[in-house]
Amino acid sequence: MTENPEHQASYAPSAEFAAAANAGAELAELAAADRLAFWAEQADRLHWEQRWTDVLDWSGAPVARWFVGGRLNVAYNCVDRHVDDGHGEQVAIHWEGEPGDSRDITYAELRDEVSRAANYLTELGLEAGDRVAIYMPMIPEAIVAILASARLGLTHSVVFAGFSPSALRQRVDDASARLVITTDGQWRRGKAAPLKEAVDEALYANGDVPHSVEHVLVVRRTGIEVPWTDGRDLWWHETVANADPHHEPRAFDAEHPLFILYTSGTTGKPKGILHTSGGYLTQAAYTHHYVFDHKPGQDVYWCTADIGWVTGHSYIVYGPLANRATQVVYEGTPNFPDEHRHWQIVEKYGVSIYYTAPTLIRTFMKWGRQIPDAHDLSSLRVLGSVGEPINPEAWRWYRTVIGSGKTPIVDTWWQTETGAIMISPLPGVTAAKPGAAQTPLPGVSAQVVDEEGNPVVLGETEANGYLVLDQPWPSMLRGVWGDDERFRETYWARYADRGWYFAGDGARLDPDGDLWVLGRVDDVMNVSGHRISTAEVESALVGHSGVAEAAVVGATDETTGQGIVAFVILTATTENTGDALVNELKAEVSREISPIARPREIHVVPELPKTRSGKIMRRLLRDVAEGRELGDTSTLVDPSVFEQIRADKA
Ligand code: WT7
């Protein structure tokens, strides 16, 4: 408690923490000595029905096969295994509902619930390889639905419950899902918002053109009225709840598809990132164990993500449960009924590991330290950050105010595509630098390189370049669902001759060789840790009859990292009604994509800056949006468009 947080460039773990840590310096040495043997050892932390013959087959690059010939059941590993080992009475989930209801679920209870759901999904005729869409808020049944799918070898596609009906429809269609699992509604700041209704809207969209969905399975959460289609729609409490709680899990190939998760790319169409079973679970469990220093049966772990994102998949469902964690799952928003909610939950359950996003930390800072200071947070011993670069100021506040000036902070860099954490300090090893993800984890290999693939040179000054992953890793994506071309083009074409994965992030190495992630170098925005493509928002805007053209950029935002700023040209017959029109356009984007994609600002402009070849110069628009002097305008067709854009902004 004596450290002065203002004046430290790095924060070494205490001797006490280091002595008891899961990971010591030897972990990196082991991995360096024999990378594949190291990963085999990590895979051995799981239960395999049949052992693999080869650790890695990279002959089909860029599609890897890890733990070739191995067979396992992912859900067995996350649930039954712990019951069989005598931990059935351990709480798996301390669930906290937004209205204040709560539920503790032990591993034995979780096994029964997952088995019931698996039995019922089987009764519905679902078979291994079929796709199931899960469109649910943060309730235990969502985790049960995910695990039941995994248990049966069904490939789940979780769609964030904040997404619009049309976003859901797009994902259901792309994966040809046979079943949608949802709820009647969801609690949001004390109100029950309909969800089943959104599913109906999605499935009847476009004049009810044929789609793949046979059934909609509905959990009753809020008790609100729902539209109902007899024969197609089924209540969870009338079906799953009455099913047999015994179910024999069957082993699947290590490369059996586990899930698809859609994420934004540089076009308007989201990419279905495909993950498989053995390698994914190995790395999710490995990273959760070492990066968070998780001790089963002792720690109380809380990841504040939503299951709709990859963080929820890897660090609420698969990683923690594979490691027999006791974890908090919270349904609602951090300020309901007031801003004390998270710290009350930490106090109530004695949370020891807390993993959240920089945008939320900055929000806590705005609310003021008197709020966390009103609570006993002494149970916390490891803090994590994910989703975007964390600014040093927020890092120090997190450590000082939330971590009583002593907890290690792990700034974890990874992506939907990487499946699990790739670059992060190890809490008992690394002297952490505020703002830096620092070091590839043992077993992971990354580089910062220039356009040609030459490593940036460490010198007196910092070296900037592109972040690449130059060796395959177990939890890597195995493809983009239904679009092999896009998979190769997006990630592997840039450094094709070297066989490297291009992450889409800029990074720099400091003179100590520590890695700092700088953010996306493509047309992808990061708003509150959510990945949103400029193209998607543009396409929602031009979907409005009054808009002829739209250009969207991410502008630096103090709280959300980036904010969405749109520039639109109206059609000749559209009248500019000022705020009324702007609000209508913002609402249109919320409706089309999700409230998370709602632009912070929309400017109606007469012209957009374009190159001679017709490409919108987003870089210049970003300068305008951030109020900077204009950069190079030499390739611009008509530099005077900026006078007009600026005049409008003012
Ligand atoms: C993008 C991936 C990883 C789960 C949540 C987001 C950015 C993520 C960090 C970090 C700097 C980060 C990157 C990355 N990002 N973590 N610790 N430091 N940037 O997953 O939606 O797939 O987004 O988030 O730009 O490419 P995602």
Side-chain angles (χ1 to χ4, degrees):
M1 292 280 275
T2 51
E3 77 187 25
N4 178 348
E6 300 303 325
H7 297 111
Q8 265 176 265
S10 71
Y11 298 76
S14 68
E16 193 190 342
F17 190 101
N22 290 347
E26 74 293 341
L27 205 64
E29 287 158 26
L30 278 171
D34 188 340
R35 211 174 73 90
L36 295 184
F38 175 82
W39 280 118
E41 215 170 289
Q42 302 317 317
D44 267 330
R45 301 182 64 247
L46 305 177
H47 173 88
W48 295 81
E49 273 306 309
Q50 188 179 304
R51 244 189 114 70
W52 56 88
T53 51
D54 291 297
V55 176
L56 169 68
D57 174 7
W58 191 226
S59 63
V63 183
R65 292 168 68 218
W66 280 86
F67 309 113
V68 182
R71 294 180 74 80
L72 80 172
N73 186 286
V74 168
Y76 175 82
N77 271 281
C78 292
V79 186
D80 311 45
R81 175 165 67 122
H82 309 313
V83 182
D84 293 350
D85 289 348
H87 301 288
E89 296 311 303
Q90 182 184 324
V91 172
I93 298 170
H94 290 299
W95 178 72
E96 186 78 10
E98 195 193 74
D101 48 341
S102 61
R103 229 180 113 187
D104 282 349
I105 300 163
T106 64
Y107 273 98
E109 288 165 345
L110 188 61
R111 181 195 53 186
D112 292 357
E113 298 266 316
V114 171
S115 298
R116 283 196 179 94
N119 279 324
Y120 186 65
L121 297 189
T122 304
E123 208 176 296
L124 283 179
L126 292 160
E127 287 174 17
D130 286 345
R131 270 82 57 205
V132 173
I134 297 175
Y135 186 55
M136 299 173 87
M138 294 287 292
I139 59 172
E141 289 83 354
I143 296 173
V144 170
I146 289 172
L147 291 169
S149 302
R151 191 178 188 95
L152 296 173
L154 307 173
T155 303
H156 59 75
S157 162
V158 180
V159 180
F160 174 55
F163 273 130
S164 66
S166 62
L168 171 64
R169 176 60 181 263
Q170 191 176 26
R171 287 157 175 76
V172 162
D173 283 352
D174 189 71
S176 306
R178 289 184 67 188
L179 173 70
V180 178
I181 309 181
T182 189
T183 60
D184 54 352
Q186 57 180 332
W187 290 113
R188 274 294 170 263
R189 295 202 167 83
K191 289 206 188 73
L195 201 59
K196 168 63 164 62
E197 205 176 284
V199 173
D200 279 37
E201 197 184 323
L203 299 185
Y204 286 109
N206 314 327
D208 194 22
V209 295
H211 53 72
S212 52
V213 175
E214 294 160 25
H215 291 289
V216 179
L217 182 55
V218 188
V219 175
R220 188 149 70 197
R221 169 59 186 138
T222 59
I224 57 173
E225 287 275 321
V226 292
W228 204 255
T229 303
D230 285 328
R232 185 197 68 179
D233 298 346
L234 307 153
W235 281 114
W236 179 285
H237 61 266
E238 291 174 356
T239 56
V240 176
N242 302 326
D244 182 358
H246 302 282
H247 180 268
E248 264 317 303
R250 171 186 145 203
F252 293 96
D253 191 272
E255 286 301 331
H256 189 80
L258 179 61
F259 66 85
I260 304 168
L261 184 59
Y262 288 84
T263 188
S264 293
T266 51
T267 70
K269 190 175 181 279
K271 298 173 280 199
I273 303 301
L274 175 68
H275 283 287
T276 59
S277 303
Y280 170 79
L281 193 64
T282 295
Q283 195 172 337
Y286 157 71
T287 50
H288 175 263
H289 179 72
Y290 288 110
V291 173
F292 300 111
D293 192 44
H294 172 259
K295 310 278 202 289
Q298 297 173 32
D299 277 306
V300 178
Y301 164 87
W302 183 14
C303 166
T304 70
D306 190 282
I307 45 141
W309 314 116
V310 75
T311 309
H313 286 59
S314 303
Y315 298 105
I316 293 177
V317 182
Y318 293 114
L321 295 177
N323 289 334
R324 186 166 52 87
T326 292
Q327 69 175 320
V328 168
V329 173
Y330 173 51
E331 181 183 34
T333 46
N335 54 352
F336 187 84
D338 59 34
E339 290 84 7
H340 290 267
R341 193 66 188 267
H342 272 218
W343 316 120
Q344 275 160 349
I345 293 174
V346 168
E347 241 177 344
K348 174 173 175 187
Y349 296 106
V351 172
S352 55
I353 305 170
Y354 179 80
Y355 188 30
T356 196
T359 182
L360 191 58
I361 298 165
R362 290 191 294 266
T363 302
F364 292 146
M365 287 171 77
K366 266 204 300 211
W367 290 345
R369 70 171 291 166
Q370 74 285 355
I371 292 171
D373 280 352
H375 301 274
D376 175 7
L377 305 182
S378 60
S379 55
L380 291 169
R381 61 176 203 93
V382 178
L383 300 175
S385 171
V386 63
E388 55 173 311
I390 177 167
N391 47 311
E393 192 197 351
W395 195 103
R396 291 199 167 90
W397 188 91
Y398 197 24
R399 171 149 167 134
T400 311
V401 177
I402 307 303
S404 340
K406 58 172 202 267
T407 54
I409 294 181
V410 288
D411 175 3
T412 62
W413 178 87
W414 58 296
Q415 310 177 298
T416 304
E417 292 86 345
T418 70
I421 299 170
M422 301 293 282
I423 303 177
S424 168
L426 285 170
V429 178
T430 316
K433 288 181 185 171
Q438 287 181 291
T439 325
L441 290 179
V444 170
S445 186
Q447 286 195 53
V448 182
V449 299
D450 67 14
E451 290 286 347
E452 282 77 47
N454 306 307
V456 296
V457 184
L458 292 191
E460 299 280 291
T461 52
E462 303 137 346
N464 288 21
Y466 299 113
L467 178 54
V468 296
L469 302 168
D470 58 359
Q471 295 286 346
W473 63 100
S475 63
M476 68 195 295
L477 76 167
R478 301 300 198 267
V480 170
W481 187 260
D483 202 342
D484 193 46
E485 180 55 33
R486 197 170 174 194
F487 169 58
R488 288 166 196 274
E489 193 46 45
T490 309
Y491 305 106
W492 304 97
R494 185 114 166 198
Y495 296 105
D497 49 335
R498 319 243 181 174
W500 293 345
Y501 171 90
F502 171 62
D505 279 318
R508 68 180 155 94
L509 289 178
D510 70 15
D512 301 329
D514 281 321
L515 196 146
W516 299 66
V517 179
L518 301 172
R520 307 289 310 184
V521 293
D522 51 13
D523 291 328
V524 172
M525 300 173 286
N526 189 327
V527 182
S528 298
H530 301 313
R531 206 159 130 180
I532 299 164
S533 92
T534 53
E536 249 174 301
V537 179
E538 285 163 3
S539 112
L541 286 166
V542 297
H544 186 281
S545 60
V547 175
E549 248 190 293
V552 167
V553 296
T556 305
D557 186 286
E558 217 173 279
T559 306
T560 59
Q562 285 190 313
I564 301 176
V565 179
F567 298 87
V568 299
I569 302 177
L570 302 181
T571 59
T573 54
T574 305
E575 191 198 341
N576 184 355
T577 54
D579 283 353
L581 177 73
V582 164
N583 289 334
E584 190 181 315
L585 294 178
K586 287 182 181 176
E588 174 82 9
V589 177
S590 286
R591 211 166 31 240
E592 267 304 304
I593 306 171
S594 162
I596 59 174
R598 186 184 169 93
R600 185 185 80 188
E601 297 165 33
I602 296 182
H603 303 285
V604 177
V605 293
E607 218 46 81
L608 288 170
K610 285 188 185 152
T611 60
R612 274 161 236 284
S613 61
K615 200 166 148 23
I616 293 174
M617 297 183 75
R618 281 209 182 66
R619 182 175 51 77
L620 294 181
L621 286 173
R622 221 172 289 129
D623 288 341
V624 175
E626 294 177 349
R628 264 194 307 274
E629 285 301 305
L630 291 187
D632 179 16
T633 56
S634 58
T635 53
L636 198 60
V637 182
D638 175 11
S640 74
V641 298
F642 279 104
E643 316 297 307
Q644 297 155 342
I645 292 177
R646 282 218 163 120
D648 169 81
K649 259 207 82 181

